[in-house]
Amino acid sequence: MKPNPTLHDESRWQAVLDRDAHADGQFVFAVLTTGIFCRPSCRARHALRQNVRFYADASAAQAAGFRPCKRCQPDKADPQQQRIDKVTEACRLLEQERTLTLDELAQAVAVSPYHFHRLFKSVTGMTPRAWQQAWRARKLRETLAASETVTNAVLAAGFPASSSYYRQADSTLGMTARQYRRGGDTQRVRFTLQSCVLGRCLVAASSRGICAVLPGDSDAALIAELAQIFPNAQREEADHAFQQQVAQVIALLDGRRSTLQLPLDIRGTAFQQQVWQALRDIPAGETRSYQQVADSIHKPNAARAVANACAANTMALVIPCHRVVRQSGALSGYRWGEARKAELLKREAKQEP
């Protein structure tokens, strides 16, 4: 029995009515009264069904005498890929010393400034200005160790020679550029050690807020880990007032509260910050794969880099990297041991929503 092509066309027509973006690339439809062919997801007003014909691709529609829609551009690459390509090009333009205006960037990628700003933020999670500042901060980290002076490093990273931009670099590093260059030797980090359901826990804070939450088996190992994270900072045990604040962190670890109302000092590259924010968006009791996290930040090829960002996390539970698992659902590595990861997931799964 031969297949009925009418049934196939009706499913295509339903995709057109639904403006189903998943159908893009599978076929195009042409309108007899206008002589134009479109993608299934085209936002133009729907034609009457009797005036619509379907073709396998743009070439077939053009061979039949139809011309491509200027709105959905069915003869061009996938629209989502076009958007990603435009943002990728803009990112390359931003990675230079000169500050580019929004108008200049939008003109370079042939998009209006308003739509470009929305597009850039939807793909990267950051504004163009924040992206360039993050790039400069990363460049600054790379050049501080190699440059003879801090000023040379700041200028080499693309920061203008002004105090306002210098303060931006300071904020991103979590300390002054001079302190960072010397390994944070004048930075003060207070810490305290307490017990929680995961064993012992070290909580540390800088002048900006909580900067480390480290569960472990022994106080000595935890203090050594803190020294590795802040090798040259002035590390000192906290006073009683700070120990009372830490009760919030311990309650979070023990599952007695779901949020933390203390200032945080979260440090990382622009990419790490993106990943960590995505982790904080995962609801308690749920998990995501590394690939799903990469997809959520619009970097589908960065699953391995996501895993590295999880491994670099120093804020247990505050940044819930324990909620990221393998594609199969199996547990993967965890900075503080798979047993703790399993315990955290088990406890969250039992909690009422």
Side-chain angles (χ1 to χ4, degrees):
M1 181 177 178
K2 294 183 179 180
N4 187 345
T6 303
L7 293 177
H8 189 49
D9 281 354
E10 288 312 308
S11 65
R12 288 174 169 175
W13 176 239
Q14 188 59 51
V16 172
L17 292 177
D18 295 340
R19 293 190 170 92
D20 185 1
H22 295 293
D24 288 351
Q26 299 180 28
F27 68 91
V28 297
F29 71 95
V31 181
L32 297 175
T33 52
T34 63
I36 291 173
F37 70 94
C38 303
R39 300 176 187 274
S41 64
C42 185
R43 309 305 296 180
R45 183 179 179 181
H46 288 138
L48 296 175
R49 172 67 184 89
Q50 62 264 31
N51 294 328
V52 172
R53 300 292 182 270
F54 300 101
Y55 295 93
D57 51 36
S59 297
Q62 287 175 313
F66 294 95
R67 62 185 185 278
C69 171
K70 292 183 179 181
R71 183 171 187 172
C72 67
Q73 299 181 314
D75 57 331
K76 301 293 178 61
D78 175 70
Q80 177 62 17
Q81 188 58 50
Q82 288 184 56
R83 291 190 284 270
I84 293 174
D85 290 343
K86 287 181 182 294
V87 172
T88 300
E89 182 182 353
C91 288
R92 284 197 293 266
L93 292 172
L94 286 168
E95 294 180 354
Q96 60 174 295
E97 295 182 11
R98 188 173 76 85
T99 299
L100 295 174
T101 66
L102 182 64
D103 288 344
E104 287 175 320
L105 286 169
Q107 184 176 5
V109 297
V111 179
S112 72
Y114 171 75
H115 285 96
F116 171 74
H117 192 274
R118 293 183 61 190
L119 171 63
F120 192 95
K121 190 169 183 180
S122 70
V123 173
T124 67
M126 307 171 71
T127 64
R129 181 181 180 185
W131 179 276
Q132 186 166 56
Q133 289 175 357
W135 175 81
R136 285 173 172 170
R138 177 174 60 81
K139 188 74 172 177
L140 180 61
R141 291 187 184 95
E142 294 172 353
T143 56
L144 275 171
S147 298
E148 293 183 3
T149 67
V150 169
T151 300
N152 288 343
V154 170
L155 294 176
F159 284 93
S162 68
S163 60
S164 61
Y165 276 87
Y166 194 89
R167 282 195 297 272
Q168 290 171 11
D170 174 18
S171 175
T172 303
L173 292 171
M175 61 188 83
T176 68
R178 199 173 302 279
Q179 288 173 338
Y180 186 92
R181 192 163 183 253
R182 296 198 298 256
D185 59 353
T186 61
Q187 186 188 31
R188 181 168 169 253
V189 174
R190 300 173 297 156
F191 70 91
T192 187
L193 292 144
Q194 295 189 26
S195 294
C196 66
V197 295
L198 300 178
R200 296 293 286 170
C201 180
L202 183 148
V203 181
S206 69
S207 59
R208 289 176 166 84
I210 302 294
C211 59
V213 179
L214 311 172
D217 297 319
S218 72
D219 290 1
L222 290 171
I223 292 173
E225 186 176 1
L226 181 67
Q228 186 177 17
I229 297 170
F230 301 101
N232 298 315
Q234 296 179 8
R235 300 179 300 278
E236 58 187 52
E237 291 199 47
D239 55 22
H240 180 67
F242 178 69
Q243 291 177 11
Q244 289 182 318
Q245 289 183 330
V246 169
Q248 279 193 43
V249 181
I250 300 301
L252 182 70
L253 292 170
D254 288 348
R256 300 194 306 273
R257 65 181 302 142
S258 59
T259 58
L260 189 65
Q261 298 175 332
L262 292 174
L264 302 176
D265 182 4
I266 300 175
R267 307 175 188 186
T269 65
F271 177 79
Q272 287 173 334
Q273 296 276 6
Q274 272 190 291
V275 172
W276 294 340
Q277 183 55 55
L279 301 188
R280 297 182 76 186
D281 291 338
I282 302 174
E286 297 183 17
T287 60
R288 301 286 187 273
S289 69
Y290 295 105
Q291 185 60 59
Q292 286 174 317
V293 175
D295 291 341
S296 74
I297 61 172
H298 307 288
K299 291 182 172 59
N301 298 320
R304 186 178 295 275
V306 167
N308 291 335
C310 290
N313 175 31
T314 61
M315 306 274 275
L317 228 71
V318 176
I319 299 173
C321 56
H322 64 280
R323 294 175 189 160
V324 187
V325 297
R326 297 187 189 279
Q327 193 78 29
S328 63
L331 296 185
S332 55
Y334 186 54
R335 179 174 184 142
W336 299 286
E338 285 192 18
R340 287 191 176 89
K341 183 171 188 172
E343 176 61 29
L344 288 170
L345 291 175
K346 179 181 177 181
R347 191 179 65 199
E348 288 184 348
K350 290 181 178 179
Q351 289 176 354
E352 295 184 1

